[in-house]
Amino acid sequence: SGRSGDGGSALRPLYMDVQATTPLDPRVLDRMLPYLTAYYGNPHSRTHAYGWESEAAMEKARKQVADLVGADSREIIFTSGATEANNMAIKGVARFYKSRKKHIITTQTEHKCVLDSCRFLETEGFQVTYLPVKKNGLIDLKELEAAFQPDTSLVSVMTVNNEIGVKQPVQDIGEICRERKVFFHTDAAQAIGKIPIDVNSMKIDLMSISGHKIYGPKGVGAIYVRRRPRVRLEPLQSGGGQERGLRSGTVPTPLAVGLGAACEVAQQEMEYDHKRISQLAERLVTKIMSEIPDVVMNGDKEHRYPGCINLSFAYVEGESLLMALKDVALSSGSACTSASLEPSYVLRAIGADEDLAHSSIRFGIGRFTTEEEVDYTVQKCIQHVKRLREMSPLWEMVQDGIDLKSIKWTQH
């Protein structure tokens, strides 16, 4: 993996941001290529071989996606990604049942597209409960149970958080919802293909899937919509009635094939990847923490996906650390919100101090991350945190035994 000393060469930083996106697995590209060239038929053309071969490829891909999550292939609908799937699930269910049900439950740490869909529904007269999370990033199931109203139509809780990697108790949530005959949606973009998911045992009614988070192409995803008990949605997109009328528009065969292939590869590699990624994550955290004091790992230690590690380095500004680590591609939160200097709303929700929230870095370890890359990142990280702290007056005060919380800072 190329690194440059002079910064001016064409070598790129090494990649440690797999929560933002993943590289395309070469096996996936191989499956896609024929459908980008020779087999270009419209999968909805019913009168000739071009259409039939594309349709067959699309249906095979649908089954590969379904198999990964224990669904029936008729329950999988192709979308442009998890953002569209989340919008479809939340707005679609809410609007379909609006004559009787006007209430939705979600959490404060969901992905922006879930929160924004909920905010949008509030302008249409729906009521939304945004559940807080505990210090460890997990919801309190008692608080969830207390939030139900007679007119609750949907609960939406993500499986694995994209910023801190915590894994919500999806199965328990599914059971609570099923008992109350309320639909349960989960945004599984960061979980699918990485941890085992079964829509039936977890009692999931709707689920969002993304291609580019699992070494598939960008611009494609899927939504799982349960057939029994049947979930009805009002479609967002009207047109030729493709995808059971829920998502009109020509399905992009090469992308669908890519998503299917990515799901199949993920199913084969899941156990191996998980074990390997766990070991690399352990190596990264242990090495950093043994060399640097005052490092906090955000999110629950046990209930988590190991490939997403969010660390706060006290007395260091996260942005300065990111800039110092310019030969490693990292981030300080989600790609969607990184332009604002506000600390992450996810870290705020878990009650991280404002200064610690500003000093957090997310490390993403994936299928193609090597031990050398982890060690290089660790070494650079240690070097720069020490250097930045030596420049920090706060660090100096702490070393002198001053409690920063007790200081009355005056405005000049």
Side-chain angles (χ1 to χ4, degrees):
S1 189
R3 278 176 289 294
S4 60
D6 61 353
S9 86
L11 291 174
R12 290 153 78 214
L14 65 86
Y15 192 72
M16 296 284 277
D17 198 19
V18 294
Q19 274 71 45
T21 195
T22 55
L24 193 63
D25 191 299
R27 291 166 285 191
V28 172
L29 180 61
D30 285 346
R31 300 271 188 87
M32 289 171 67
L33 276 171
Y35 296 93
L36 288 160
T37 52
Y39 301 98
Y40 49 79
N42 184 321
H44 313 290
S45 298
R46 285 290 166 80
T47 55
H48 49 67
Y50 291 85
W52 304 330
E53 63 204 11
S54 289
E55 185 187 26
M58 172 180 82
E59 291 309 328
K60 179 186 174 188
R62 200 187 301 281
K63 183 160 175 18
Q64 290 167 319
V65 177
D67 286 348
L68 179 59
V69 297
D72 180 305
S73 54
R74 291 171 299 180
E75 299 175 305
I76 300 296
I77 283 161
F78 290 113
T79 69
S80 62
T83 290
E84 185 186 358
N86 284 333
N87 274 263
M88 281 172 72
I90 291 164
K91 294 174 183 169
V93 167
R95 288 171 182 161
F96 192 92
Y97 296 97
K98 68 171 181 274
S99 59
R100 292 176 293 129
K101 302 187 165 182
K102 284 293 215 183
H103 179 239
I104 293 164
I105 301 171
T106 187
T107 79
Q108 294 174 4
T109 53
E110 293 300 304
H111 191 276
K112 263 286 195 284
C113 62
V114 167
L115 296 174
D116 279 359
S117 294
C118 289
R119 291 261 181 267
F120 191 73
L121 287 174
E122 286 180 295
T123 67
E124 293 182 10
F126 291 90
Q127 190 197 346
V128 183
T129 300
Y130 299 93
L131 291 173
V133 293
K134 298 180 285 193
K135 277 260 185 238
N136 62 2
L138 300 175
I139 64 165
D140 183 331
L141 293 171
K142 293 267 177 294
E143 288 186 14
L144 170 64
E145 290 180 332
F148 282 90
Q149 298 176 9
D151 67 341
T152 305
S153 61
L154 183 73
V155 170
S156 179
V157 180
M158 76 200 318
T159 306
V160 168
N161 184 276
N162 53 310
E163 284 192 39
I164 56 176
V166 296
K167 189 163 96 223
Q168 298 291 352
V170 174
Q171 186 148 359
D172 299 336
I173 298 168
E175 277 161 14
I176 289 168
C177 292
R178 186 64 58 85
E179 266 167 39
R180 289 167 177 72
K181 294 194 164 49
V182 169
F183 293 131
F184 172 39
H185 164 253
T186 188
D187 170 1
Q190 296 285 350
I192 190 134
K194 299 184 173 79
I195 58 172
I197 286 185
D198 184 289
V199 290
N200 294 313
S201 66
M202 293 175 166
K203 302 196 167 36
I204 295 167
D205 297 306
L206 301 115
M207 180 166 64
S208 305
I209 295 169
S210 171
H212 76 107
K213 306 291 188 190
I214 54 167
Y215 311 93
K218 291 167 184 60
V220 68
I223 182 172
Y224 158 78
V225 182
R226 179 175 289 286
R227 285 171 72 88
R228 288 194 187 80
R230 189 175 172 87
V231 182
R232 309 292 299 273
L233 310 176
E234 186 179 292
L236 292 181
Q237 193 150 293
S238 318
Q242 295 92 339
E243 298 298 278
R244 302 208 332 248
L246 292 178
R247 208 279 186 183
S248 287
T250 301
V251 172
T253 315
L255 295 180
V257 166
L259 176 62
C263 285
E264 187 183 282
V265 171
Q267 197 167 1
Q268 293 160 1
E269 306 284 350
M270 193 185 302
E271 211 174 313
Y272 175 80
D273 278 349
H274 194 277
K275 202 171 145 192
R276 199 176 150 271
I277 287 167
S278 301
Q279 286 164 350
L280 290 176
E282 172 93 1
R283 184 179 180 101
L284 180 125
V285 174
T286 309
K287 285 190 160 191
I288 286 178
M289 290 195 168
S290 65
E291 290 286 326
I292 317 177
D294 299 310
V295 179
V296 177
M297 184 165 173
N298 295 304
D300 195 275
K301 303 281 175 287
E302 301 301 309
H303 304 279
R304 64 178 311 107
Y305 169 65
C308 180
I309 303 151
N310 191 305
L311 300 177
S312 290
F313 299 90
Y315 321 113
V316 171
E317 187 64 329
E319 296 297 322
S320 352
L321 184 52
L322 278 183
M323 283 161 75
L325 293 166
K326 63 181 180 299
D327 42 4
V328 183
L330 293 160
S331 81
S332 56
S334 73
C336 331
T337 51
S338 59
S340 70
L341 283 174
E342 281 288 286
S344 141
Y345 65 88
V346 173
L347 294 179
R348 202 182 281 147
I350 61 173
D353 286 340
E354 189 88 359
D355 49 349
L356 273 182
H358 271 299
S359 62
S360 81
I361 301 281
R362 182 181 68 183
F363 300 84
I365 295 178
R367 181 180 294 164
F368 301 115
T369 308
T370 64
E371 200 169 273
E372 295 77 50
E373 288 176 321
V374 168
D375 290 349
Y376 181 84
T377 303
V378 164
Q379 170 220 323
K380 283 288 187 208
C381 196
I382 292 167
Q383 175 194 333
H384 288 297
V385 169
K386 286 181 172 168
R387 181 180 62 81
L388 289 165
R389 279 181 179 173
E390 272 157 24
M391 292 158 52
S392 159
L394 296 179
W395 176 246
E396 203 175 323
M397 290 157 79
V398 172
Q399 301 315 296
D400 293 342
I402 298 167
D403 175 13
L404 296 182
K405 295 254 188 286
S406 68
I407 298 174
K408 302 274 181 284
W409 303 97
T410 57
Q411 295 283 320
H412 290 297

